[in-house]
Amino acid sequence: RKLGKPPRAPWRWALAVLWLTAAPTWSPASGDRARRQWPVPYKRFSFRPEPDPYCQAKYTFCPTGSSIPAMKGDDVIEVFRLQAPVWEFKYGDLLGHMKIMHDAVGFRSTLTGKNYTMEWYELFQLGNCTFPHLRPEMSAPFWCNQGAACFFEGIDDLHWKENGTLVLVATMSGNMFNKMAKWVKQDNETGIYYETWTVQASPEKGAEIWFESYDCSKFVLRTYSKLAELGAEFKKIETNYTRIFLYSGEPTYLGNETTIFGPVGNKTLALAIKRFYYPFKPHLSTKEFLLSLLQIFNAVIMHRQFYLFYNFEYWFLPMKFPFIKITYEEIPLPNRNRTLFGI
């Protein structure tokens, strides 16, 4: 896949998500109790599939993207931390006040003076990656969920500086940059889908994490980790990232599309999952949207139920107070030759 420039991720659903979906009648009393590796490992793939033509983005993914260039081995490459409010081009610094930020990495070649931007985000915007389409001709929810890396020449200084961050965080050699480029290609081809939520037992420090998110900030952290592994020198400065949490008791594994929605699937569970996702359908009128919020509130807050789709499988989350939270947390930059963030 070509690497190129992004639209800014729509977080309209992330804000609406303080509430969450139609109350299902099915109650999970059992599941696959043998699944006990927490957090559940993010599934990687051998190649990136072509997107289904049904999936369309309102804003084109990476419209001016380019391949990552090869640098001269003795070049000194400066690495910049880039952060700006999500959808700044449409809402200005509004989401920045809520600390809902998009992260990216910038590079500057000291030999050529050229700048580059690299980021990772959704191919079809956040709503499509977080909730499915309920297509009448299909028995199962249909997901338009892919995320990918975008690389392009130039850094929009005004965009990153005005309401966000553009700061030098590390330096490395051209040889390290070239090794990083090979890693980015592999990471991009095997980590194909976006995951909005971090799901854990409570807001308390050290609480059990059930599922990790996989988003723009996690790509930046993976990149920093790889650069440290290659020997890049990082500065000691504070770096913070936006995270969206769901809080629940221990999740129950439910099954995949075939076992739930197939010919011999669980019809009661299938109906419950589709009823749960129904309020998140796109293109709602104001009246429909307000009604959906009530249904979401009833399901998540009153009935404490959430159905999570992760690794192309469904899980039931018994929701707990405070249910959902958006945080802006400090995660330190890595030390040289120490991998803090792993894949």
Side-chain angles (χ1 to χ4, degrees):
R1 171 170 296 281
K2 186 178 180 181
L3 303 179
K5 181 178 178 180
R8 303 298 162 213
W11 288 65
R12 182 168 63 92
W13 285 110
L15 298 177
V17 157
L18 177 60
W19 324 100
L20 277 164
T21 105
T25 58
W26 183 84
S27 178
S30 63
D32 185 353
R33 306 297 293 180
R35 290 175 176 258
R36 281 296 179 273
Q37 184 176 355
W38 306 119
V40 174
Y42 175 90
K43 183 178 180 180
R44 287 187 172 268
F45 296 80
S46 57
F47 67 94
R48 176 179 292 276
E50 285 297 317
D52 190 293
Y54 179 87
C55 301
Q56 298 293 323
K58 184 174 182 180
Y59 300 96
T60 304
F61 174 80
C62 221
T64 62
S66 63
S67 299
I68 302 178
M71 301 293 186
K72 291 186 177 180
D74 61 348
D75 196 351
V76 175
I77 309 297
E78 295 176 328
V79 183
F80 296 91
R81 166 174 162 77
L82 307 179
Q83 190 175 73
V86 166
W87 264 31
E88 186 182 33
F89 73 95
K90 186 171 184 179
Y91 299 118
D93 66 345
L94 174 63
L95 297 181
H97 293 300
M98 304 175 195
K99 296 300 182 183
I100 300 177
M101 309 294 282
H102 173 68
D103 296 277
V105 185
F107 303 100
R108 178 180 177 272
S109 163
T110 58
L111 279 180
T112 66
K114 289 185 176 180
N115 297 320
Y116 304 92
T117 299
M118 183 172 73
E119 49 197 333
W120 194 95
Y121 65 104
E122 324 89 74
L123 267 65
F124 313 111
Q125 278 80 67
L126 182 65
N128 280 319
C129 289
T130 309
F131 301 107
H133 292 255
L134 300 180
R135 300 171 64 178
E137 72 275 19
M138 293 185 173
S139 60
F142 181 80
W143 293 84
C144 292
N145 186 355
Q146 281 198 44
C150 173
F151 187 93
F152 56 98
E153 185 173 339
I155 295 177
D156 184 349
D157 288 31
L158 181 61
H159 168 69
W160 300 107
K161 284 182 177 179
E162 189 173 31
N163 298 306
T165 300
L166 195 166
V167 61
L168 179 69
V169 293
T171 56
M172 62 178 173
S173 68
N175 187 48
M176 292 176 193
F177 178 92
N178 294 335
K179 290 179 180 179
M180 178 210 70
K182 292 180 180 179
W183 169 83
V184 169
K185 185 177 186 300
Q186 182 271 336
D187 183 80
N188 191 52
E189 288 300 308
T190 61
I192 66 171
Y193 72 93
Y194 188 99
E195 178 53 51
T196 302
W197 316 106
T198 296
V199 186
Q200 65 182 45
S202 77
E204 301 299 321
K205 187 175 182 179
E208 184 85 65
I209 298 174
W210 311 120
F211 301 93
E212 290 275 15
S213 61
Y214 198 87
D215 54 16
C216 63
S217 65
K218 285 300 181 74
F219 175 73
V220 169
L221 292 172
R222 291 197 305 279
T223 301
Y224 287 165
S225 178
K226 187 63 181 180
L227 294 181
E229 178 188 316
L230 294 172
E233 296 277 3
F234 279 86
K235 295 178 175 291
K236 295 186 182 299
I237 59 174
E238 181 176 331
T239 54
N240 294 69
Y241 304 87
T242 300
R243 302 179 74 187
I244 304 180
F245 288 90
L246 294 179
Y247 299 108
S248 81
E250 184 170 331
T252 300
Y253 175 73
L254 302 175
N256 58 31
E257 180 176 315
T258 301
T259 61
I260 298 173
F261 300 94
V264 293
N266 186 325
K267 293 184 179 180
T268 303
L269 175 57
L271 178 61
I273 291 173
K274 289 200 284 188
R275 287 183 62 189
F276 173 83
Y277 285 126
Y278 182 78
F280 296 101
K281 63 182 181 180
H283 313 305
L284 296 174
S285 67
T286 301
K287 181 179 179 180
E288 289 172 328
F289 180 71
L290 292 174
L291 178 60
S292 292
L293 285 182
L294 291 176
Q295 293 174 321
I296 290 165
F297 180 87
N298 185 51
V300 177
I301 309 301
M302 301 304 294
H303 287 80
R304 304 195 172 204
Q305 297 174 324
F306 192 100
Y307 291 96
L308 180 73
F309 188 64
Y310 194 89
N311 284 346
F312 296 90
E313 297 175 314
Y314 290 90
W315 298 76
F316 177 81
L317 307 181
M319 298 298 288
K320 294 165 55 178
F321 182 84
F323 307 107
I324 183 170
K325 189 176 182 180
I326 299 175
T327 67
Y328 188 63
E329 299 182 356
E330 180 183 5
I331 300 177
L333 290 166
N335 294 323
R336 184 174 181 175
N337 292 325
R338 280 187 61 198
T339 303
L340 298 183
F341 307 116
I343 295 178

